[in-house]
Amino acid sequence: MNLIIRLLLNAIAVFALANILNGVTVDGYTTAVIVAIVLSILNLIVKPILVILTLPITIITLGLFMFVINACIILLADKFIDGFAVSSFWTAMLFSVLLCVLQSLLHSFLKADKKSSN
């Protein structure tokens, strides 16, 4: 149940950011849910491989290269999903940073709600 709530919160974040940012388009709510699922799968499978392959440059840049990896994951999701489009690499990087911040806020509300119900 918690996984479904997290995916729905991620889909809400994707849909909200697509309406705010000019270079990102999402066709509808179902596409936003699909984007959330695909991003979760890519973060689970592809991201660890990219992190290991780019470990030296990530260490040299003190972890800032992770922004580039996150933007690449967003662009990869763009290639897989028809109703989701990102116009450029820099837009993907901005989308990635804002998505991370928005997801953190939404998930913190979920944790605060769980603590108050106990």
Side-chain angles (χ1 to χ4, degrees):
M1 185 67 179
N2 195 16
L3 176 67
I4 295 171
I5 293 172
R6 284 182 173 271
L7 283 174
L8 289 176
L9 287 176
N10 291 346
I12 291 169
V14 166
F15 192 76
L17 286 177
N19 286 329
I20 294 171
L21 293 176
N22 287 333
V24 181
T25 58
V26 175
D27 285 346
Y29 297 115
T30 56
T31 307
V33 172
I34 293 170
V35 169
I37 293 170
V38 169
L39 283 177
S40 298
I41 292 170
L42 289 175
N43 281 330
L44 183 69
I45 297 171
V46 177
K47 189 174 181 178
I49 296 169
L50 290 177
V51 168
I52 290 172
L53 290 176
T54 62
L55 192 60
I57 194 165
T58 303
I59 292 171
I60 290 171
T61 61
L62 302 175
L64 291 176
F65 195 74
M66 292 299 293
F67 289 123
V68 175
I69 292 173
N70 288 338
C72 290
I73 295 291
I74 298 289
L75 290 173
L76 191 59
D78 173 24
K79 299 297 179 198
F80 287 142
I81 304 167
D82 288 333
F84 176 62
V86 180
S87 63
S88 68
F89 174 79
W90 295 108
T91 305
M93 189 172 288
L94 179 63
F95 179 77
S96 171
V97 170
L98 293 176
L99 184 64
C100 179
V101 170
L102 194 55
Q103 284 175 343
S104 295
L105 288 173
L106 291 173
H107 292 303
S108 69
F109 290 140
L110 183 65
K111 288 180 185 176
D113 185 40
K114 188 181 276 186
K115 285 182 183 178
S116 67
S117 67
N118 287 334

